[in-house]
């Protein structure tokens, strides 16, 4: 497997003229890579230690406009710097960009050099530290869906994002002939990611016309989140190089299938050798620890939904029955109508799949929230309710996840669990982010959009 390479290997590659550019990127609240391109020699000489960026990058909207009202960064404080500290363990070649390597940076306070509390990577690291103190290692995997268009980003923008031409025109779930038509792009994606140290397992057609899914091998939670953001950025760049465009919106068109990012998770011992979720004597092979972990996620599913569905558009994916997008926070054994699905029952690969999140989620925030909820279940030794059987869409009496951003925001704001796990200042930061998203939506929504199912409430 062509893995992420070491600083020493980078130095050798630069000396040989193979690498001339190093991208240093942090992850913003939307899960986007934001950063600088360094001449490789300067990165090796000094920038590998740290560089700086304006702290408005974690206090802006998805259009990168500074948003008023944040306590952490604002005009009164002058929008100062924070430190970008490259995590050299994430250093990798970027195969689809000539002579280029990339490293993901932690976001540190300029004075204390501690993780900025509301930085997505810092939030996940805080929850992983809680697991580490218990001698526990978390493994995660995400399935990432997106739509491919036979037009460029520029062409779609020029026509106001109306009716972009999808790469297909009929259902292509697992469809080999249709995906063959898309293979020039998808092959470049699989091979480009693989050559950049991301172990791709497969790609496949999804339900919607032009809809695809990419799957990669599971990894420890931080590594998987790092992979996830590189995958999304890479897919966009590779598609762009071929004159195509993609979208990771949860529901880009109301009458077509939404795009999800299912999250698989399991807990293991500190060496990653023994599954703490597996118990051959337990019901369905589930250990008591796993049952408590899942019980915590169910108990707090409504509170963490914002971190799985962060935009107005995210909730359009939950509005219809029979779409494989769950609306009920229940668990079941291999049942895709439930919000949480038990996979690998009775094997060492036993895990829980959260099906709530869309492909627009930020993996660091989603993983952090899921772990916090699971740990709450373990700490309180919660009893797991019986597995749901049947069609969860028809269960009006079942625990329902929020179906609007407004509802999810208020539930997040009132979450004592998340305030204890993440800190008041972090929860308040993201509540403000969500409320600004709602405010901007209400201010900008057009009649054309309203007629296409983008309801104001």
């Amino acid at each position: 497997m062509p893995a992420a390479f070491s600083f020493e290997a980078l130095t050798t590659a630069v000396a040989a003229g193979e690498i001339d550019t190093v991208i240093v990127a942090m992850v913003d609240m939307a899960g986007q890579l934001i950063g600088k391109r360094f001449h490789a020699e300067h990165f090796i000489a000094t920038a590998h230690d740290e560089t700086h960026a304006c702290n408005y990058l974690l206090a802006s909207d998805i259009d990168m406009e500074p948003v008023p009202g944040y306590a952490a960064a604002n005009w009164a404080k002058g929008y100062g710097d924070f430190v970008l500290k490259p995590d050299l363990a994430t250093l990798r070649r970027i195969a689809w960009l000539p002579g280029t390597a990339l490293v993901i940076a932690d976001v540190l306070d300029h004075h204390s050099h501690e993780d900025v509390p509301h930085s997505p990577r810092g939030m996940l690291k805080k929850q992983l530290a809680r697991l580490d103190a218990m001698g526990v290692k978390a493994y995660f995997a995400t399935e990432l869906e997106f739509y491919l268009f036979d037009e460029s980003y520029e062409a779609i923008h020029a026509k106001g994002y109306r009716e972009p031409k999808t790469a297909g025109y009929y259902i292509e779930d697992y469809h080999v002939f249709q995906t063959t038509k898309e293979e020039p792009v998808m092959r470049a994606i699989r091979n480009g990611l693989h050559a950049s140290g991301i172990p791709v397992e497969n790609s496949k057609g999804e339900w919607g016309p032009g809809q695809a899914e990419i799957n990669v091998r599971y990894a420890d939670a931080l590594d998987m989140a790092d992979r996830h953001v590189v995958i999304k950025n890479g897919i966009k760049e590779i598609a762009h190089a071929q004159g195509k465009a993609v979208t990771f919106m949860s529901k880009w068109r109301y009458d077509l299938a939404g795009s999800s990012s299912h999250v698989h998770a399991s807990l293991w011992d500190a060496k990653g050798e023994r599954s703490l979720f597996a118990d051959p004597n337990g019901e369905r092979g589930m250990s008591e620890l796993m049952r408590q972990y899942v019980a915590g996620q169910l108990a707090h599913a409504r509170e963490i939904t914002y971190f799985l569905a962060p935009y107005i558009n995210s909730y359009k994916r939950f509005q219809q029955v029979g779409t494989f997008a769950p609306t009920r926070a229940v668990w079941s054994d291999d049942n895709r109508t439930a919000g949480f699905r038990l996979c690998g029952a009775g094997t060492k690969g036993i895990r829980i799949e959260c099906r709530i999140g869309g492909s627009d989620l930020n993996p660091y925030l989603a993983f952090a929230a899921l772990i916090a909820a699971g740990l709450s279940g373990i700490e309180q030794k919660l009893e797991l309710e019986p597995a749901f059987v049947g069609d969860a869409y028809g269960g009006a009496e079942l625990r329902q996840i929020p179906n609007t951003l407004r509802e999810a925001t208020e539930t997040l704001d009132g979450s004592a669990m998340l305030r204890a796990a993440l800190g008041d200042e972090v929860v308040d930061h993201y509540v403000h982010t969500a409320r600004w998203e709602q405010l901007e939506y209400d201010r900008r929504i057009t009649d054309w959009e309203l007629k296409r199912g983008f309801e104001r409430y």
Side-chain angles (χ1 to χ4, degrees):
M1 181 68 227
F5 59 10
S6 66
F7 185 74
E8 291 73 21
L10 172 68
T11 302
T12 301
V14 171
E18 298 171 6
I19 298 290
D20 56 60
T21 301
V22 179
I23 300 170
V24 177
M26 58 170 272
V27 178
D28 71 2
M29 293 190 294
Q32 301 175 111
L33 293 180
I34 305 293
K36 309 176 184 179
R37 279 176 160 85
F38 283 89
H39 192 287
E41 291 185 3
H42 179 71
F43 177 82
I44 289 170
T46 62
H48 70 276
D49 185 47
E50 67 176 50
T51 186
H52 299 83
C54 178
N55 64 18
Y56 98 94
L57 294 172
L58 289 177
S60 59
D61 63 17
I62 197 168
D63 294 323
M64 297 195 70
E65 291 286 350
V67 172
Y70 281 110
N74 51 58
W75 291 112
K77 290 184 176 180
Y79 284 114
D81 275 358
F82 44 41
V83 171
L84 302 187
K85 178 74 172 178
D87 181 347
L88 295 180
T90 70
L91 186 63
R92 66 181 73 244
R93 291 176 182 264
I94 297 298
W96 57 90
L97 296 177
T100 300
L102 178 143
V103 65
I104 294 176
D106 286 311
V107 183
L108 308 182
D109 182 88
H110 186 63
H111 304 287
S112 69
H113 273 62
E114 297 292 328
D115 283 310
V116 168
H118 57 276
S119 66
R121 204 165 190 262
M123 290 166 63
L124 176 55
K125 286 168 62 181
K126 182 177 180 178
Q127 300 311 304
L128 293 177
R130 296 175 66 193
L131 288 175
D132 188 61
M134 299 165 56
V136 174
K137 189 179 185 69
Y139 282 107
F140 275 68
T142 56
E143 307 170 43
L144 193 52
E145 297 173 0
F146 58 94
Y147 276 83
L148 175 67
F149 299 102
D150 278 339
E151 298 181 81
S152 69
Y153 288 103
E154 293 77 10
I156 294 171
H157 172 75
K159 60 182 187 181
Y161 299 95
R162 302 186 182 192
E163 305 300 334
K165 183 179 183 295
T166 55
Y169 54 91
Y170 52 81
I171 294 174
E172 60 178 275
D173 198 18
Y174 294 91
H175 203 287
V176 172
F177 176 46
Q178 175 56 34
T179 53
T180 295
K181 301 175 189 178
E182 301 158 8
E183 182 65 355
V185 176
M186 296 308 300
R187 180 171 181 263
I189 288 170
R190 291 193 309 272
N191 290 339
L193 293 173
H194 181 87
S196 301
I198 296 175
V200 174
E201 292 184 344
N202 61 71
S203 64
K204 61 176 283 289
E206 262 298 329
W207 187 94
Q211 191 180 26
E213 176 179 297
I214 191 83
N215 292 292
V216 304
R217 184 171 173 79
Y218 70 87
D220 70 80
L222 187 61
D223 189 21
M224 187 65 234
D226 292 338
R227 289 179 183 179
H228 184 110
V229 294
V230 173
I231 291 166
K232 285 183 75 169
N233 193 69
I235 289 172
K236 293 175 186 177
E237 292 180 344
I238 292 167
H240 170 71
Q242 297 197 27
K244 312 287 187 180
V246 300
T247 184
F248 291 95
M249 289 178 69
S250 277
K251 194 78 167 174
W252 83 271
R253 209 173 94 176
Y254 199 69
D255 59 340
L256 295 179
S259 291
S260 65
S261 178
H262 301 149
V263 178
H264 295 251
S266 59
L267 300 183
W268 293 63
D269 67 9
K271 294 182 179 179
E273 297 174 349
R274 181 174 62 89
S275 172
L276 301 180
F277 273 10
D279 180 355
N281 298 315
E283 183 182 355
R284 295 183 173 87
M286 300 171 69
S287 69
E288 183 180 14
L289 183 83
M290 181 179 188
R291 296 180 67 83
Q292 293 170 351
Y293 184 87
V294 176
Q297 294 191 333
L298 294 175
H300 299 291
R302 290 178 52 80
E303 299 162 54
I304 67 174
T305 296
Y306 169 75
F307 290 119
L308 298 164
Y311 303 106
I312 294 282
N313 178 261
S314 307
Y315 295 83
K316 306 309 166 189
R317 186 171 148 264
F318 303 142
Q319 298 303 307
Q320 302 176 44
V321 300
T323 60
F324 294 102
T327 59
R328 300 293 187 269
V330 295
W331 79 280
S332 68
D333 189 350
D334 198 18
N335 179 343
R336 286 182 167 84
T337 71
F340 294 85
R341 180 172 75 117
L342 178 65
C343 300
T347 74
K348 69 176 183 179
I350 192 169
R351 60 197 183 278
I352 194 68
E353 175 195 31
C354 176
R355 298 180 57 80
I356 297 171
S359 58
D360 54 356
L361 61 72
N362 181 325
Y364 303 90
L365 303 183
F367 294 4
L370 286 165
I371 291 170
L375 281 173
S376 178
I378 292 171
E379 291 167 352
Q380 297 179 62
K381 301 186 185 307
L382 295 182
E383 290 288 332
L384 181 62
E385 63 196 48
F388 177 81
V389 178
D391 181 359
Y393 290 112
E397 76 287 355
L398 300 177
R399 184 189 302 107
Q400 185 170 341
I401 61 173
N403 59 16
T404 66
L405 177 63
R406 201 184 305 273
E407 182 183 357
T409 303
E410 297 313 308
T411 309
L412 167 65
D413 192 19
S415 175
M417 182 277 293
L418 285 174
R419 289 186 175 278
L422 304 177
D424 285 332
E425 70 280 9
V426 172
V427 172
D428 290 342
H429 189 90
Y430 283 91
V431 166
H432 183 69
T433 302
R435 287 178 176 158
W436 181 263
E437 163 84 3
Q438 184 74 57
L439 179 68
E440 285 294 276
Y441 173 84
D442 291 341
R443 183 172 69 85
R444 296 185 182 190
I445 189 70
T446 67
D447 289 341
W448 179 82
E449 290 164 328
L450 287 170
K451 290 175 181 177
R452 289 174 59 84
F454 292 89
E455 299 88 352
R456 193 176 299 278
Y457 296 103

